[in-house]
Amino acid sequence: IILIEMAKKSIMINFKIDYLTKLSIQKCCKRIFELMKDISEMKLILKKEYRNISNNKLTTIIGIADYTAAIITTFTGDIDRFQTVKKYIAFFGLDPVIRDSGDNSNIRRISKKGESLVRKVLYTSVLSCLKNKKHPVTIMYYRLTQRGIHHYSAMTACMRKFISIIFGILKNGKDFDINHENINKSEEQSNKSIQ
């Protein structure tokens, strides 16, 4: 609807546009709507197939629904091919690299070697995690931004943390526990105090 309104306005602003241009805009809009419909249908099929064939626990993670879980599962394949979480993070292109560029040296960026679609769904998943104040990703995000880290840098760090959570869930096959880190920290502290 917004697209149609924008097209009408662009035609009304420049009323001297010829018939062929109007026709070409209409055809482009029609193709875009058809593609959007196809994408929606494919997403539904992907979600349905994911539920049928996958028994992993990714959807227990707050911030991951069926579509995101299906995308991550599809691109991950067999989790056992990744020996460490660092290799899993690097597979999706979220590993930090230092790039030298002329006068600027030591510019830290992510490698972006992996599939960009996965990074997109991870970004939106992290955004939905930020709605839950107890989520470890949310706690990390606010800790980083309070230290003055820019939003996008903090989001990238949170995406890496989110991937490490996903890695843990896929490796051990257990449900996501929002208090997992707090339990581990309290156990470490009690072990230190006992020693």
Side-chain angles (χ1 to χ4, degrees):
I1 297 170
I2 296 169
L3 192 63
I4 292 170
E5 291 301 317
M6 288 174 65
K8 284 180 182 176
K9 283 181 184 176
S10 72
I11 291 170
M12 289 177 155
I13 290 169
N14 191 357
F15 59 88
K16 293 181 181 178
I17 294 176
D18 62 9
Y19 172 75
L20 290 175
T21 305
K22 289 179 186 178
L23 185 64
S24 117
I25 290 172
Q26 288 174 346
K27 295 285 183 188
C28 284
C29 288
K30 186 177 178 182
R31 258 186 266 144
I32 290 169
F33 286 131
E34 287 170 359
L35 284 171
M36 289 170 66
K37 185 180 175 187
D38 289 346
I39 290 168
S40 296
E41 287 174 8
M42 289 303 294
K43 281 184 177 181
L44 288 173
I45 291 167
L46 188 62
K47 287 181 197 178
K48 184 180 174 186
E49 289 303 313
Y50 168 75
R51 284 188 218 122
N52 291 337
I53 64 171
S54 182
N55 59 354
N56 67 38
K57 307 285 185 173
L58 288 184
T59 54
T60 64
I61 301 172
I62 297 167
I64 293 186
D66 288 334
Y67 175 70
T68 303
I71 294 291
I72 291 168
T73 303
T74 301
F75 285 101
T76 298
D78 183 11
I79 192 66
D80 292 330
R81 66 191 177 121
F82 301 100
Q83 288 84 28
T84 65
V85 70
K86 284 185 179 181
K87 289 182 179 178
Y88 192 57
I89 289 168
F91 179 72
F92 291 120
L94 289 168
D95 53 322
V97 292
I98 296 172
R99 293 186 181 150
D100 292 331
S101 173
D103 296 335
N104 299 328
S105 60
N106 297 331
I107 299 171
R108 289 178 61 104
R109 303 254 189 245
I110 58 172
S111 70
K112 294 186 180 180
K113 289 180 185 172
E115 182 59 46
S116 63
L117 176 62
V118 176
R119 288 192 298 277
K120 287 175 187 172
V121 297
L122 286 171
Y123 187 86
T124 56
S125 293
V126 169
L127 282 178
S128 61
C129 287
L130 296 180
K131 296 173 186 171
N132 187 318
K133 293 181 180 179
K134 293 182 181 180
H135 201 291
V137 170
T138 307
I139 293 166
M140 180 182 188
Y141 176 81
Y142 287 112
R143 189 179 72 237
L144 291 172
T145 53
Q146 286 172 358
R147 285 181 14 208
I149 305 285
H150 189 268
H151 165 76
Y152 291 109
S153 298
M155 286 295 288
T156 302
C158 289
M159 286 164 64
R160 279 195 291 270
K161 180 164 188 79
F162 202 63
I163 276 286
S164 66
I165 292 169
I166 291 167
F167 181 79
I169 297 293
L170 289 174
K171 279 283 190 185
N172 68 31
K174 295 180 181 175
D175 287 357
F176 173 68
D177 180 9
I178 200 163
N179 297 313
H180 178 73
E181 284 185 358
N182 295 335
I183 292 166
N184 284 349
K185 284 178 186 174
S186 63
E187 285 176 2
E188 285 173 17
Q189 288 172 351
S190 64
N191 288 338
K192 284 179 184 176
S193 64
I194 289 169
Q195 291 173 355

